[in-house]
């Protein structure tokens, strides 16, 4: 696949690896589309390469001013849906570095590994499953035997760097939910069935970070562990698979591009009864966004055994003590973010101010609830900046808004189409006399004249339920 100038530039900057761009077959439908998303994300301040001025750091990303708003909206939506709107799920925020015994008990020290091979010629390192039966992507060098590679980042706690001070950056957020289970039960007075949820950073030293923010080395997870009696776990498993699927739909994601993939028996961990992935049809193929698993009581039992602490639950009504089973829901913030960008991205022809002429526009059709800005205010001329700013400041108290007075109105519309702002409000010279502004709808591009005193109500009505 040839690369145009922009593609070459993105590749040089490390935004895309050659592997992503040259990979062929069912997993790679449209590499050009991915380039467009990455380029837009940088151009408009959604995502930048980490440490870009130093040449970047592979597998790490920074979220820009527009990106942080989108990210926050998506995490808020998850938190409201999973914790605040339910009376049987509580939140938790635990440290990134936990006692190293945590990762021995969970099996990560022993088993959190990927088999990897090196190319003897170009010295690139690949996950074995990525190159099995395929050509080594950039050269045709011979591959080494597969070796185990632990994906946890190691660090040292304290001043002395010795074996006993080794600790790990957590590779998933859920283990501390298990280790804090007893404290949460006692303080929250929750009764089984109930859940503990957490949103936070995780770290995995992925051998081949790729596909932009899809697989990175530092990422964020939204996880929930729902504690149940063993006999009820299948019921809750089915319940959470459906709930989680509905959440993605509530973000406005195209239903046809989402699917549930039930794991085959041979894919399951030995202790798990079932696992379903929610997958999205990314530009590079169907891939996991979230996993929902019926995990039995493996996690609590392991930590109980390893710590010597009793992590069982006492049911006061039934006068019965048992180690609860758990149904886990585990989603990625960054992967969901990528889905929101890819799913909202549209290119279309739009009329221009010149009669009969059309131009291409890029528009992100975000659901208004998650759009970074709900409205933007544009003064037609800088001479009108004072009243326009006043209006924007007033709206800012109720909605996330932006003020933009740079370039032609057409350019400003385009900029806000590209960051998915649902409403563009133009303050023109007539506004001075009729006390009205023009509000343009991002999707239909229809314009309406609305009294300045009514703009707040107008937006509130349009964004109702969002
Ligand atoms: P994969 O098979 O794609 O490596 P996984 O099955 O190892 O994913 P889990 O351990 O189930 O992933 O993690 C739960 C979620 O965390 C994933 O569905 C994904 O959304 C997110 N996630 C996992 N690894 C990464 C990563 N390297 N970069 C970004 N998000 C990730």
């Amino acid at each position: 696949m040839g690369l145009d100038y922009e593609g070459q530039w993105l590749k040089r900057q490390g935004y895309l690896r050659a592997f992503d761009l040259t990979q062929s077959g069912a997993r790679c439908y449209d590499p050009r589309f991915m380039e467009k998303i990455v380029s837009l994300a940088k151009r408009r301040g959604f995502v930048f390469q980490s440490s870009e001025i130093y040449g970047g750091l592979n597998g790490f990303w920074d979220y820009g001013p527009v990106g942080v708003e989108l990210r926050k909206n998506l995490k808020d939506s998850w938190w409201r849906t999973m914790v605040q709107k339910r009376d049987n799920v509580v939140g938790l925020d635990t440290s990134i570095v936990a006692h190293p015994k945590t990762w021995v008990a969970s099996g990560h020290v022993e088993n959190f590994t990927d088999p990897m091979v090196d190319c003897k010629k170009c010295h690139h390192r690949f996950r074995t499953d990525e190159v099995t039966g395929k050509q080594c992507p950039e050269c045709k060098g011979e591959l080494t035997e597969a070796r185990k590679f632990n994906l946890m980042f190691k660090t040292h706690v304290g001043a002395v760097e010795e074996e006993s001070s080794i600790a790990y950056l957590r590779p998933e957020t859920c283990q501390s939910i298990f280790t804090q289970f007893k404290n949460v039960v006692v303080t929250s007075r929750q009764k089984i069935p109930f859940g503990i949820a957490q949103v936070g950073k995780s770290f995995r030293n992925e051998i081949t970070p790729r596909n932009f923010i899809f697989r990175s080395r530092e990422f964020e997870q939204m996880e929930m562990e729902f504690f149940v009696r063993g006999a009820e776990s299948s019921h809750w498993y089915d319940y959470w698979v459906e709930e989680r699927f509905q959440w993605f739909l509530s973000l406005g994601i195209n239903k046809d591009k989402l699917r549930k993939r039930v794991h085959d028996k041979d894919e399951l961990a030995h202790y798990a009864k079932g696992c379903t992935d929610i997958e999205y049809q990314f530009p590079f193929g169907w891939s996991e966004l979230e996993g929902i698993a019926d995990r039995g009581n493996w996690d609590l039992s392991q930590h109980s055994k390893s710590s010597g602490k009793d992590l069982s639950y006492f049911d006061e009504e039934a006068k019965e003590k048992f180690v609860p089973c758990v149904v886990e829901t585990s989603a990625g913030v960054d992967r969901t973010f990528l889905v929101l960008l890819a799913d909202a991205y549209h290119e279309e022809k739009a009329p221009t101010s010149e009669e009969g002429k059309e131009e291409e526009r890029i528009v992100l059709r975000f659901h208004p609830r998650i759009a970074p800005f709900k409205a933007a205010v544009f003064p037609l001329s800088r001479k009108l900046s004072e009243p326009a700013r006043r209006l924007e400041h007033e709206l800012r108290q109720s909605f996330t808004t932006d003020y933009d007075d740079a370039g032609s109105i057409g350019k400003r519309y385009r900029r806000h189409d590209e960051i998915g702002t649902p409403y563009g409000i133009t303050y023109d010279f007539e506004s001075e006399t009729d006390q009205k502004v023009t509000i343009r709808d991002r999707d239909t591009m229809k314009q309406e004249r609305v009294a300045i005193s009514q703009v707040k109500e107008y937006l509130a009505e349009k964004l109702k339920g969002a």
Side-chain angles (χ1 to χ4, degrees), residues 101-121:
K101 280 189 179 165
T102 308
W103 309 108
V104 177
S106 67
H108 283 80
V109 169
E110 176 68 20
N111 299 320
F112 195 56
T113 55
D114 269 349
M116 48 126 217
V117 289
D118 292 320
C119 170
K120 287 184 183 169
K121 198 165 154 199

Side-chain angles (χ1 to χ4, degrees), residues 112 114 127 171-172 204 206 213-223 263 277-278 287-291 328 330-336:
F112 195 56
D114 269 349
R127 262 171 45 180
E172 57 183 30
R204 296 182 188 181
E206 298 278 1
I213 52 175
F214 178 82
R215 184 178 302 287
S216 47
R217 289 176 166 143
E218 173 176 340
F219 55 96
E220 204 160 357
Q221 292 183 309
M222 304 177 285
E223 296 196 295
H263 282 215
D277 285 348
I278 296 179
S287 300
E288 175 184 337
L289 267 181
E290 168 156 1
E328 171 180 274
S330 176
V333 172
D334 311 82
R335 286 190 190 177
T336 309

Side-chain angles (χ1 to χ4, degrees), residues 73-257:
N73 293 343
L74 117 73
K75 288 194 285 181
D76 284 352
S77 165
W78 188 88
W79 194 258
R80 276 201 56 64
T81 309
M82 296 297 285
V83 182
Q84 294 174 333
K85 285 188 179 175
R86 298 175 194 273
D87 58 11
N88 59 354
V89 178
V90 293
L92 193 65
D93 188 356
T94 65
S95 62
I96 283 170
V97 176
H99 195 291
K101 280 189 179 165
T102 308
W103 309 108
V104 177
S106 67
H108 283 80
V109 169
E110 176 68 20
N111 299 320
F112 195 56
T113 55
D114 269 349
M116 48 126 217
V117 289
D118 292 320
C119 170
K120 287 184 183 169
K121 198 165 154 199
C122 69
H123 305 295
H124 259 94
R125 181 164 287 176
F126 303 100
R127 262 171 45 180
T128 309
D129 62 334
E130 281 172 352
V131 287
T132 307
K134 297 173 197 147
Q135 273 180 351
C136 183
E138 277 169 30
C139 75
K140 296 181 177 49
E142 198 191 329
L143 300 173
T144 60
E145 287 285 305
R147 276 178 291 157
K148 270 184 166 186
F149 177 78
N150 196 298
L151 300 185
M152 282 197 293
F153 277 99
K154 263 189 199 163
T155 186
H156 290 270
V157 174
V160 188
E161 292 196 7
E162 57 186 20
E163 194 65 20
S164 65
S165 67
I166 288 180
Y168 303 95
L169 304 190
R170 66 182 178 202
E172 57 183 30
T173 60
C174 61
Q175 291 304 325
S176 299
I177 294 182
F178 299 125
T179 57
Q180 291 292 4
F181 172 72
K182 207 88 200 194
N183 279 334
V184 176
V185 170
V186 170
T187 54
S188 70
R189 311 203 57 75
Q190 285 284 344
K191 303 259 184 297
I192 274 175
F194 82 98
I196 305 176
Q198 164 153 241
V199 178
K201 290 271 181 147
S202 292
F203 301 80
R204 296 182 188 181
N205 199 1
E206 298 278 1
I207 299 164
T208 45
R210 63 194 152 91
N211 289 327
F212 193 29
I213 52 175
F214 178 82
R215 184 178 302 287
S216 47
R217 289 176 166 143
E218 173 176 340
F219 55 96
E220 204 160 357
Q221 292 183 309
M222 304 177 285
E223 296 196 295
M224 195 270 310
E225 306 298 326
F226 201 72
F227 299 94
V228 299
R229 288 173 172 274
E232 292 169 1
S233 74
S234 299
H235 158 78
W236 285 110
Y237 169 65
D238 293 344
Y239 170 85
W240 283 112
V241 168
E242 201 45 44
E243 285 290 294
R244 297 304 307 136
F245 195 78
Q246 289 303 323
W247 180 72
F248 287 106
L249 294 182
S250 79
L251 297 178
I253 296 168
N254 181 353
K255 194 173 180 189
D256 296 338
K257 291 195 162 194

